[in-house]
Amino acid sequence: MRFLLTLIFMLLPMLASAVEFDENTRSLPLGRATLVFEDPSGTATIEDVSSPEGAAKFRALDTGSLNAGYSRSAFWLKVQLTYRPTNPVASADWLLELAYPPMDHVDLYLASDTAQPSLTWKTGDMLPFQSRQIKQNNYLFDLNLKANESKTAYVRVESHGSVQAPLNLWASHAYIEEQPSRLYILGMIYGVLAVMLVYNLFIYLSVRDTSYLYYILYITCFGLYQVSVNGAGIEFLWPDDPWWANTSTTFLIAAAILFASQFARKFLQTPRLGFWMDGPLWLMMACSAGIMVLSLTTDYGIALRLVTALVLIFTPIILLIGIAAWLKGRRVARYFIFAWSAFLIGGVINATMLLGHLPNNFWTMYASQIGSVVEVALLSLALADRINTMRERQAQIMAQSSKDLEKLNQQLAVSNRLKDEFLATLTHELRTPMNGVIGSLELMQMDGAEDDIELYRQTAADSAQNMMGIVNGILTLTELQAGRISVQHEAFSLRHLLFQVRSAFEPLARSKALTLSIELDENLPDSLQGDALKLRQCLDCLMDNAVKFTKAGSIRIRVNGQCTDSQHVRLLVDVIDTGIGFSRLDEETLYANFYQVDGSMTREYGGLGIGLAICRQLIELQGGRLSHQSEPGTGSQFRLSLDVVRAKEGKSAVI
């Protein structure tokens, strides 16, 4: 029984690592199906790890990929792959990818059901680029799997730098199809760096500012560092020099910190701000120079650990210096802060991944490159800002002045046009009731029946009343413009106010065969306190327009609201008609003084175009709001929204 349990315990890791796939599979991340064995001494052989005793030492990965940070141990990765196509005649080529270019040693052993594991390929960036089975920056191996065949892959990795081993299974055609997107991203990164380099080189040649020179050197070193760490360096620049392929990573990032510190000193003028700001940059430059020497003379793994720590210290320090410079009045420091903030975020994410505290994926792998692109672009803007600030400010002032002048001219033209239309409309509107008065008086002087004289007298009175309404409207508008109207707070009856409005407009509505109705929420209190006269004037304006522009149908006054508390009431009064309506207009246009939808003298409807302007100003004077909805041919709805107060007990209503 004990032997059986031991055997099951030894077989569990093997069962956990099995991965089955078919011809429809494009790619598979293998991290969750991978078993790992850490060999601190680095002396274990394939025979040791493939034996039953060695198999028991493997453990399942609890992350998407192996991320051991800066470890000197050798690591064995084990994964069992089974190709089971649904179509027996289907064929496909399968690739195993280790997607981390800066790996010193990568050895692949393959074992099948009928054969013991044997060394299939040996590569790594400590060997020439020609040692790779497939010439790519990442490590790719041909699995040569046939239908219904199972193979167990053992991958041994070892590095003086950070140990990262993200394993992926690819169909060869899928890998080829996915490469353009990765190349586009890298191309954009390198392209931005190249453009910034050439751009600032030309500026330096023109202005001879040493800030640009140090910035150019910084971009060059950092760009070459990215080329090196992404595997493009050993693929295209130094394929036969593995020593420099590893050394260049540390050397170039240290050089980038050196020139970035010097650039910050010149750009922010830290010597003028005090030693407490300039001293840390000198210290960073000294440390960078020391690491550059160590990377050329000692094990690059030691220098790599030191430069990673320096990056984690350097970035927040230079960011704090930028903030201090900004607080001391250095305007260009704001670009500097944003730029190094982007680099700080990307650098910390990448460095934390290299230390083994974050998983290895696309974003953590390329975080520093993405952050550096943003940083380089913002620093270039900062440099250009020093030259273009005054010119841009002058151009902005001139452009704004031109826009303001053009806007004022447009407003003046519109105002003059509206005033001209208003004067013409006023003349026409006053002439009509005046003719009624004069004509009625002339007819009254002639002999006629008593009924005819009474009709003439009524016509004259109505015409005079219309003329007085026009004069009152103009007077109200001028008083509103002059600020001479104030709000009165007195008790009034809501129902009596609505009764007065209905009594005033019901004869006009009946003469046009229109139905006039009032819908009142019975839950609303009747005794309120506010300016009833101005509320009545607003309703008169809206009702006058509703009757005027409605040929058939109905006009409704709908009164709703809610009690916000024991004293305050939110009153909502809607005037709804089935008239001609109008097209969608913004509030500034519709409620403008003298505005009319139809401004011609031969228009069918009268009016001066000041009713809505008066209504809006009156309701806003009381702290309310006027809004509208309308569609041509279907009618209009205007809403008065006003906060009023319950009248105290014992106060009598004014109206």
Side-chain angles (χ1 to χ4, degrees):
M1 185 65 180
R2 181 179 299 177
F3 173 77
L4 181 60
L5 291 175
T6 304
L7 182 62
I8 294 175
F9 178 78
M10 293 171 60
L11 291 177
L12 280 176
M14 299 178 63
L15 296 174
S17 63
V19 177
E20 291 189 2
F21 53 96
D22 56 26
E23 71 275 15
N24 296 318
T25 302
R26 291 178 57 85
S27 65
L28 283 175
L30 301 177
R32 299 293 180 180
T34 302
L35 302 177
V36 62
F37 162 58
E38 182 177 359
D39 178 18
S41 64
T43 58
T45 63
I46 185 61
E47 290 77 13
D48 296 332
V49 299
S50 61
S51 65
E53 294 79 8
K57 297 179 181 179
F58 280 88
R59 59 177 177 82
L61 277 177
D62 56 358
T63 58
S65 65
L66 173 64
N67 187 345
Y70 289 107
S71 174
R72 288 299 182 92
S73 300
F75 290 86
W76 288 84
L77 304 175
K78 177 183 176 181
V79 60
Q80 183 178 348
L81 305 171
T82 302
Y83 177 39
R84 297 192 186 280
T86 57
N87 184 0
V89 298
S91 61
D93 296 327
W94 299 99
L95 303 175
L96 181 65
E97 178 194 36
L98 194 151
Y100 186 68
M103 184 63 66
D104 289 355
H105 299 283
V106 181
D107 302 336
L108 174 67
Y109 298 83
L110 291 177
S112 62
D113 295 336
T114 59
Q116 294 297 316
S118 60
L119 180 63
T120 302
W121 211 268
K122 189 179 185 69
T123 184
D125 69 352
M126 289 298 289
L127 299 175
F129 189 72
Q130 292 299 322
S131 67
R132 305 192 182 194
Q133 185 180 18
I134 298 176
K135 305 304 183 288
Q136 289 287 318
N137 63 328
N138 288 336
Y139 302 103
L140 289 172
F141 305 98
D142 186 2
L143 295 175
N144 195 22
L145 276 170
K146 298 178 182 179
N148 298 312
E149 182 182 9
S150 295
K151 285 187 177 182
T152 302
Y154 294 86
V155 182
R156 182 184 185 274
V157 294
E158 185 179 12
S159 180
H160 288 183
S162 181
V163 177
Q164 311 281 328
L167 288 179
N168 301 292
L169 176 71
W170 286 91
S172 58
H173 67 279
Y175 184 83
I176 294 173
E177 292 171 359
E178 290 293 331
Q179 287 308 293
S181 60
R182 184 181 67 88
L183 295 177
Y184 291 153
I185 294 175
L186 293 177
M188 286 189 293
I189 293 174
Y190 298 147
V192 170
L193 293 176
V195 168
M196 293 298 102
L197 177 64
V198 174
Y199 167 72
N200 287 283
L201 177 61
F202 278 110
I203 294 180
Y204 169 70
L205 295 176
S206 300
V207 301
R208 299 294 178 177
D209 188 342
T210 55
S211 297
Y212 286 91
L213 176 61
Y214 293 123
Y215 182 62
I216 291 168
L217 293 173
Y218 162 67
I219 294 178
T220 302
C221 292
F222 196 81
L224 290 174
Y225 156 73
Q226 293 188 9
V227 169
S228 175
V229 78
N230 290 334
I234 194 171
E235 182 176 359
F236 299 108
L237 301 181
W238 39 79
D240 299 322
D241 194 348
W243 174 83
W244 177 246
N246 287 278
T247 303
S248 61
T249 301
T250 305
F251 181 86
L252 290 170
I253 190 61
I257 294 176
L258 173 66
F259 292 120
S261 300
Q262 184 63 11
F263 163 73
R265 294 184 66 249
K266 293 293 184 180
F267 183 75
L268 298 176
Q269 299 178 342
T270 55
R272 299 183 181 179
L273 298 177
F275 179 78
W276 66 276
M277 292 183 62
D278 194 45
L281 294 177
W282 274 109
L283 181 60
M284 291 294 168
M285 293 168 61
C287 293
S288 300
I291 293 175
M292 291 171 65
V293 174
L294 287 176
S295 65
L296 298 174
T297 57
T298 62
D299 180 6
Y300 90 92
I302 298 175
L304 186 59
R305 288 166 172 78
L306 291 175
V307 79
T308 302
L310 185 62
V311 169
L312 294 175
I313 297 173
F314 163 77
T315 311
I317 286 180
I318 202 169
L319 180 62
L320 291 174
I321 291 174
I323 295 174
W326 190 16
L327 295 176
K328 286 184 172 291
R330 294 287 190 270
R331 178 180 178 273
V332 292
R334 57 181 180 175
Y335 291 102
F336 191 87
I337 294 170
F338 296 142
W340 284 105
S341 296
F343 181 79
L344 172 63
I345 295 172
V348 168
I349 291 174
N350 183 255
T352 307
M353 182 271 295
L354 294 177
L355 292 172
H357 301 299
L358 285 178
N360 185 306
N361 54 42
F362 174 85
W363 297 108
T364 57
M365 183 67 184
Y366 293 100
S368 62
Q369 286 89 332
I370 296 172
S372 67
V373 168
V374 177
E375 176 228 6
V376 165
L378 290 175
L379 287 179
S380 294
L381 289 175
L383 287 168
D385 182 68
R386 294 202 304 174
I387 298 176
N388 297 326
T389 297
M390 295 304 298
R391 183 170 54 190
E392 291 178 357
R393 183 179 300 173
Q394 183 179 6
Q396 290 175 358
I397 293 175
M398 293 181 63
Q400 187 62 41
S401 299
S402 178
K403 290 180 180 179
D404 293 342
L405 182 60
E406 182 180 359
K407 186 176 180 179
L408 288 174
N409 288 334
Q410 292 176 352
Q411 293 176 349
L412 181 61
V414 171
S415 178
N416 289 335
R417 178 179 60 81
L418 292 177
K419 288 179 180 179
D420 291 341
E421 290 183 2
F422 173 74
L423 290 175
T425 303
L426 178 62
T427 302
H428 175 77
E429 293 294 329
L430 288 176
R431 182 183 299 169
T432 300
M434 183 63 72
N435 288 335
V437 172
I438 295 174
S440 297
L441 292 176
E442 290 178 350
L443 290 172
M444 289 172 63
Q445 294 176 358
M446 301 172 60
D447 293 337
E450 185 67 25
D451 293 341
D452 292 337
I453 295 176
E454 180 63 27
L455 177 63
Y456 299 151
R457 185 163 44 247
Q458 185 63 41
T459 302
D462 292 342
S463 299
Q465 189 68 28
N466 290 337
M467 190 160 33
M468 181 60 68
I470 295 174
V471 174
N472 286 338
I474 298 173
L475 179 61
T476 301
L477 182 63
T478 56
E479 288 180 342
L480 284 170
Q481 296 293 329
R484 296 177 181 174
I485 296 181
S486 59
V487 178
Q488 305 295 324
H489 294 281
E490 297 178 345
F492 68 93
S493 170
L494 177 61
R495 286 166 176 77
H496 186 63
L497 174 65
L498 296 174
F499 174 77
Q500 288 181 322
V501 174
R502 179 170 185 167
S503 300
F505 288 93
E506 193 167 31
L508 294 176
R510 190 182 299 112
S511 66
K512 298 182 68 174
L514 301 176
T515 301
L516 177 61
S517 62
I518 297 179
E519 301 173 5
L520 176 63
D521 185 356
E522 296 299 331
N523 294 323
L524 287 176
D526 180 63
S527 183
L528 302 174
Q529 188 171 350
D531 198 325
L533 294 177
K534 292 181 177 57
L535 180 58
R536 165 73 188 277
Q537 195 169 356
C538 291
L539 289 174
D540 287 347
C541 290
L542 297 180
M543 288 296 297
D544 183 66
N545 281 343
V547 173
K548 184 188 304 180
F549 293 106
T550 303
K551 295 181 178 179
S554 64
I555 300 172
R556 289 186 298 151
I557 301 177
R558 186 174 61 196
V559 183
N560 295 308
Q562 59 183 0
C563 299
T564 57
D565 54 38
S566 60
Q567 296 296 327
H568 295 83
V569 178
R570 184 71 173 176
L571 201 61
L572 301 176
V573 183
D574 294 308
V575 177
I576 307 169
D577 64 62
T578 58
I580 62 173
F582 52 87
S583 58
R584 297 178 181 270
L585 293 171
D586 59 89
E587 294 186 357
E588 183 177 356
T589 301
L590 182 62
Y591 300 128
N593 295 337
F594 316 126
Y595 176 78
Q596 292 185 348
V597 176
D598 181 6
S600 64
M601 289 298 298
T602 59
R603 68 192 188 283
E604 181 180 354
Y605 309 100
L608 299 178
I610 61 175
L612 289 179
I614 292 174
C615 184
R616 186 186 191 189
Q617 294 182 56
L618 283 175
I619 198 68
E620 289 182 350
L621 188 65
Q622 301 173 73
R625 183 175 181 270
L626 173 63
S627 58
H628 69 278
Q629 294 180 354
S630 182
E631 292 292 339
T634 61
S636 304
Q637 176 179 343
F638 287 84
R639 166 169 289 188
L640 295 174
S641 177
L642 180 65
D643 289 327
V644 293
V645 181
R646 290 175 180 264
K648 296 181 179 179
E649 296 183 2
K651 284 193 174 183
S652 58
V654 176
I655 60 174

PDB file of all heavy atoms in Angstrom, residues 453-468:
ATOM      1  N   ILE A 453     -72.905 102.030 -32.850  1.00  0.00           N
ATOM      2  CA  ILE A 453     -72.015 102.886 -32.063  1.00  0.00           C
ATOM      3  C   ILE A 453     -71.381 102.097 -30.926  1.00  0.00           C
ATOM      4  O   ILE A 453     -70.196 102.243 -30.615  1.00  0.00           O
ATOM      5  CB  ILE A 453     -72.802 104.111 -31.528  1.00  0.00           C
ATOM      6  CG1 ILE A 453     -73.256 104.996 -32.694  1.00  0.00           C
ATOM      7  CG2 ILE A 453     -71.955 104.897 -30.536  1.00  0.00           C
ATOM      8  CD1 ILE A 453     -74.129 106.168 -32.272  1.00  0.00           C
ATOM      9  N   GLU A 454     -72.164 101.227 -30.289  1.00  0.00           N
ATOM     10  CA  GLU A 454     -71.609 100.390 -29.208  1.00  0.00           C
ATOM     11  C   GLU A 454     -70.517  99.463 -29.743  1.00  0.00           C
ATOM     12  O   GLU A 454     -69.495  99.247 -29.097  1.00  0.00           O
ATOM     13  CB  GLU A 454     -72.737  99.567 -28.573  1.00  0.00           C
ATOM     14  CG  GLU A 454     -72.269  98.665 -27.446  1.00  0.00           C
ATOM     15  CD  GLU A 454     -71.707  99.458 -26.289  1.00  0.00           C
ATOM     16  OE1 GLU A 454     -72.105 100.634 -26.098  1.00  0.00           O
ATOM     17  OE2 GLU A 454     -70.834  98.914 -25.570  1.00  0.00           O
ATOM     18  N   LEU A 455     -70.697  98.923 -30.954  1.00  0.00           N
ATOM     19  CA  LEU A 455     -69.683  98.057 -31.565  1.00  0.00           C
ATOM     20  C   LEU A 455     -68.403  98.833 -31.856  1.00  0.00           C
ATOM     21  O   LEU A 455     -67.292  98.342 -31.617  1.00  0.00           O
ATOM     22  CB  LEU A 455     -70.252  97.441 -32.847  1.00  0.00           C
ATOM     23  CG  LEU A 455     -69.276  96.566 -33.658  1.00  0.00           C
ATOM     24  CD1 LEU A 455     -68.842  95.355 -32.831  1.00  0.00           C
ATOM     25  CD2 LEU A 455     -69.933  96.097 -34.968  1.00  0.00           C
ATOM     26  N   TYR A 456     -68.582 100.093 -32.357  1.00  0.00           N
ATOM     27  CA  TYR A 456     -67.401 100.914 -32.649  1.00  0.00           C
ATOM     28  C   TYR A 456     -66.656 101.237 -31.362  1.00  0.00           C
ATOM     29  O   TYR A 456     -65.412 101.257 -31.319  1.00  0.00           O
ATOM     30  CB  TYR A 456     -67.825 102.215 -33.350  1.00  0.00           C
ATOM     31  CG  TYR A 456     -68.533 101.996 -34.666  1.00  0.00           C
ATOM     32  CD1 TYR A 456     -69.494 102.926 -35.133  1.00  0.00           C
ATOM     33  CD2 TYR A 456     -68.261 100.869 -35.442  1.00  0.00           C
ATOM     34  CE1 TYR A 456     -70.157 102.742 -36.326  1.00  0.00           C
ATOM     35  CE2 TYR A 456     -68.926 100.675 -36.649  1.00  0.00           C
ATOM     36  CZ  TYR A 456     -69.862 101.602 -37.080  1.00  0.00           C
ATOM     37  OH  TYR A 456     -70.513 101.408 -38.253  1.00  0.00           O
ATOM     38  N   ARG A 457     -67.409 101.526 -30.312  1.00  0.00           N
ATOM     39  CA  ARG A 457     -66.782 101.851 -29.044  1.00  0.00           C
ATOM     40  C   ARG A 457     -65.996 100.646 -28.492  1.00  0.00           C
ATOM     41  O   ARG A 457     -64.899 100.795 -27.983  1.00  0.00           O
ATOM     42  CB  ARG A 457     -67.846 102.308 -28.036  1.00  0.00           C
ATOM     43  CG  ARG A 457     -67.228 102.788 -26.725  1.00  0.00           C
ATOM     44  CD  ARG A 457     -68.187 103.609 -25.880  1.00  0.00           C
ATOM     45  NE  ARG A 457     -69.505 103.035 -25.817  1.00  0.00           N
ATOM     46  CZ  ARG A 457     -70.593 103.588 -26.355  1.00  0.00           C
ATOM     47  NH1 ARG A 457     -70.516 104.736 -26.995  1.00  0.00           N
ATOM     48  NH2 ARG A 457     -71.794 102.991 -26.247  1.00  0.00           N
ATOM     49  N   GLN A 458     -66.560  99.450 -28.611  1.00  0.00           N
ATOM     50  CA  GLN A 458     -65.876  98.243 -28.133  1.00  0.00           C
ATOM     51  C   GLN A 458     -64.616  97.964 -28.961  1.00  0.00           C
ATOM     52  O   GLN A 458     -63.566  97.579 -28.428  1.00  0.00           O
ATOM     53  CB  GLN A 458     -66.827  97.043 -28.212  1.00  0.00           C
ATOM     54  CG  GLN A 458     -66.252  95.758 -27.628  1.00  0.00           C
ATOM     55  CD  GLN A 458     -65.970  95.895 -26.152  1.00  0.00           C
ATOM     56  OE1 GLN A 458     -66.764  96.487 -25.417  1.00  0.00           O
ATOM     57  NE2 GLN A 458     -64.822  95.369 -25.710  1.00  0.00           N
ATOM     58  N   THR A 459     -64.719  98.200 -30.272  1.00  0.00           N
ATOM     59  CA  THR A 459     -63.547  98.012 -31.134  1.00  0.00           C
ATOM     60  C   THR A 459     -62.437  98.967 -30.750  1.00  0.00           C
ATOM     61  O   THR A 459     -61.254  98.605 -30.692  1.00  0.00           O
ATOM     62  CB  THR A 459     -63.935  98.204 -32.610  1.00  0.00           C
ATOM     63  OG1 THR A 459     -64.964  97.272 -32.961  1.00  0.00           O
ATOM     64  CG2 THR A 459     -62.729  98.005 -33.517  1.00  0.00           C
ATOM     65  N   ALA A 460     -62.799 100.225 -30.484  1.00  0.00           N
ATOM     66  CA  ALA A 460     -61.787 101.207 -30.087  1.00  0.00           C
ATOM     67  C   ALA A 460     -61.151 100.820 -28.756  1.00  0.00           C
ATOM     68  O   ALA A 460     -59.930 100.937 -28.568  1.00  0.00           O
ATOM     69  CB  ALA A 460     -62.418 102.598 -29.990  1.00  0.00           C
ATOM     70  N   ALA A 461     -61.981 100.353 -27.828  1.00  0.00           N
ATOM     71  CA  ALA A 461     -61.434  99.951 -26.519  1.00  0.00           C
ATOM     72  C   ALA A 461     -60.492  98.756 -26.662  1.00  0.00           C
ATOM     73  O   ALA A 461     -59.416  98.712 -26.042  1.00  0.00           O
ATOM     74  CB  ALA A 461     -62.585  99.628 -25.559  1.00  0.00           C
ATOM     75  N   ASP A 462     -60.880  97.763 -27.470  1.00  0.00           N
ATOM     76  CA  ASP A 462     -60.009  96.590 -27.665  1.00  0.00           C
ATOM     77  C   ASP A 462     -58.699  96.978 -28.334  1.00  0.00           C
ATOM     78  O   ASP A 462     -57.620  96.491 -27.961  1.00  0.00           O
ATOM     79  CB  ASP A 462     -60.730  95.531 -28.507  1.00  0.00           C
ATOM     80  CG  ASP A 462     -61.906  94.907 -27.759  1.00  0.00           C
ATOM     81  OD1 ASP A 462     -61.933  95.036 -26.514  1.00  0.00           O
ATOM     82  OD2 ASP A 462     -62.778  94.301 -28.410  1.00  0.00           O
ATOM     83  N   SER A 463     -58.752  97.853 -29.325  1.00  0.00           N
ATOM     84  CA  SER A 463     -57.535  98.286 -30.013  1.00  0.00           C
ATOM     85  C   SER A 463     -56.619  99.038 -29.059  1.00  0.00           C
ATOM     86  O   SER A 463     -55.391  98.857 -29.068  1.00  0.00           O
ATOM     87  CB  SER A 463     -57.897  99.164 -31.219  1.00  0.00           C
ATOM     88  OG  SER A 463     -58.687  98.441 -32.146  1.00  0.00           O
ATOM     89  N   ALA A 464     -57.233  99.919 -28.243  1.00  0.00           N
ATOM     90  CA  ALA A 464     -56.407 100.647 -27.273  1.00  0.00           C
ATOM     91  C   ALA A 464     -55.783  99.691 -26.267  1.00  0.00           C
ATOM     92  O   ALA A 464     -54.630  99.869 -25.850  1.00  0.00           O
ATOM     93  CB  ALA A 464     -57.275 101.691 -26.559  1.00  0.00           C
ATOM     94  N   GLN A 465     -56.557  98.661 -25.865  1.00  0.00           N
ATOM     95  CA  GLN A 465     -56.025  97.676 -24.921  1.00  0.00           C
ATOM     96  C   GLN A 465     -54.853  96.907 -25.534  1.00  0.00           C
ATOM     97  O   GLN A 465     -53.845  96.645 -24.868  1.00  0.00           O
ATOM     98  CB  GLN A 465     -57.142  96.712 -24.507  1.00  0.00           C
ATOM     99  CG  GLN A 465     -56.758  95.787 -23.362  1.00  0.00           C
ATOM    100  CD  GLN A 465     -56.573  96.535 -22.055  1.00  0.00           C
ATOM    101  OE1 GLN A 465     -57.199  97.578 -21.842  1.00  0.00           O
ATOM    102  NE2 GLN A 465     -55.715  96.031 -21.197  1.00  0.00           N
ATOM    103  N   ASN A 466     -54.968  96.538 -26.812  1.00  0.00           N
ATOM    104  CA  ASN A 466     -53.862  95.852 -27.487  1.00  0.00           C
ATOM    105  C   ASN A 466     -52.628  96.739 -27.559  1.00  0.00           C
ATOM    106  O   ASN A 466     -51.496  96.284 -27.346  1.00  0.00           O
ATOM    107  CB  ASN A 466     -54.281  95.430 -28.896  1.00  0.00           C
ATOM    108  CG  ASN A 466     -55.310  94.309 -28.877  1.00  0.00           C
ATOM    109  OD1 ASN A 466     -55.395  93.567 -27.895  1.00  0.00           O
ATOM    110  ND2 ASN A 466     -56.090  94.193 -29.944  1.00  0.00           N
ATOM    111  N   MET A 467     -52.865  98.014 -27.871  1.00  0.00           N
ATOM    112  CA  MET A 467     -51.747  98.940 -27.957  1.00  0.00           C
ATOM    113  C   MET A 467     -51.096  99.120 -26.593  1.00  0.00           C
ATOM    114  O   MET A 467     -49.870  99.185 -26.474  1.00  0.00           O
ATOM    115  CB  MET A 467     -52.244 100.288 -28.501  1.00  0.00           C
ATOM    116  CG  MET A 467     -51.109 101.243 -28.868  1.00  0.00           C
ATOM    117  SD  MET A 467     -51.642 102.548 -30.005  1.00  0.00           S
ATOM    118  CE  MET A 467     -53.310 102.840 -29.519  1.00  0.00           C
ATOM    119  N   MET A 468     -51.893  99.152 -25.530  1.00  0.00           N
ATOM    120  CA  MET A 468     -51.342  99.268 -24.184  1.00  0.00           C
ATOM    121  C   MET A 468     -50.536  98.014 -23.824  1.00  0.00           C
ATOM    122  O   MET A 468     -49.502  98.092 -23.159  1.00  0.00           O
ATOM    123  CB  MET A 468     -52.471  99.482 -23.181  1.00  0.00           C
ATOM    124  CG  MET A 468     -51.979  99.631 -21.738  1.00  0.00           C
ATOM    125  SD  MET A 468     -50.844 101.037 -21.530  1.00  0.00           S
ATOM    126  CE  MET A 468     -51.985 102.389 -21.804  1.00  0.00           C
TER     127      MET A 468
END
